[in-house]
Amino acid sequence: MKGAMARTLPAPDDVRDALRDVTDPELHVSIVELGMLREVEVSESGVVTVGIALTVASCPLRTEIRQAVESKVRTLAGVTEVEVHTAEMTQEERSALMTIARRNAAKRAPETEIPASTRVLAIASGKGGVGKSSVTVNLAAALAARGLTVGILDADIYG
């Protein structure tokens, strides 16, 4: 660069630090903390290449994550272009990510006012059409007939 000022480039660690502010849109945890950031390369021309590992190749939020990474990296001095490459996590990486996500979800869980004497019964089956709802309603009616306060939550956790 004859006669021009030398370009100040971010170091890979500067890029990693900036990406700590990018959170997974679903888990609300930094992609760096979740282990989604795999690699960072900075070329002499200012092109920053970032490798991101997604939980699954067809992640529905991949575009949003890519855009957030590109936007954040572009704010760094000396960056001329941002390339984001995505890959799929291994089973071990997904397990580690879920451990971190569960820990963070537990930290953010709201306080409840459910008394310690409350009991929760789960009626479950891995198959549909076996009478879970009928058993649930009949059990709830029998407990209510005994004077207990009863609530029912029907949630499809398999589908």
Side-chain angles (χ1 to χ4, degrees):
M1 282 196 227
K2 206 175 205 180
M5 290 181 38
R7 179 188 308 270
T8 303
L9 298 172
D13 284 342
D14 297 330
V15 176
R16 283 185 189 87
D17 288 342
L19 291 175
R20 290 183 193 285
D21 293 338
V22 175
T23 59
D24 180 282
E26 194 171 38
L27 301 173
H28 308 291
V29 179
S30 165
I31 63 170
V32 175
E33 184 180 346
L34 289 172
M36 295 172 72
L37 179 61
R38 282 205 172 148
E39 61 197 9
V40 174
E41 294 177 10
V42 181
S43 75
E44 291 182 14
S45 62
V47 177
V48 177
T49 305
V50 178
I52 301 291
L54 302 172
T55 52
V56 292
S58 61
C59 175
L61 300 171
R62 68 184 171 276
T63 301
E64 190 173 338
I65 293 169
R66 176 189 302 269
Q67 289 171 345
V69 168
E70 288 173 353
S71 176
K72 192 64 178 178
V73 174
R74 276 194 191 100
T75 66
L76 299 172
V79 174
T80 58
E81 188 179 338
V82 181
E83 295 177 3
V84 178
H85 301 282
T86 58
E88 185 175 3
M89 287 184 161
T90 64
Q91 182 58 45
E92 293 79 24
E93 289 172 322
R94 276 192 296 275
S95 293
L97 176 139
M98 289 312 299
T99 298
I100 294 167
R102 284 186 195 104
R103 183 187 68 228
N104 281 302
K107 286 180 187 176
R108 293 190 319 266
E111 291 294 321
T112 62
E113 295 183 21
I114 298 173
S117 61
T118 298
R119 298 295 175 253
V120 176
L121 303 175
I123 312 298
S125 171
K127 180 178 181 333
V130 295
K132 295 179 296 293
S133 296
S134 298
V135 168
T136 301
V137 169
N138 288 321
L139 182 59
L143 292 171
R146 290 186 170 192
L148 298 171
T149 302
V150 178
I152 297 175
L153 171 66
D154 185 1
D156 181 357
I157 60 171
Y158 293 104

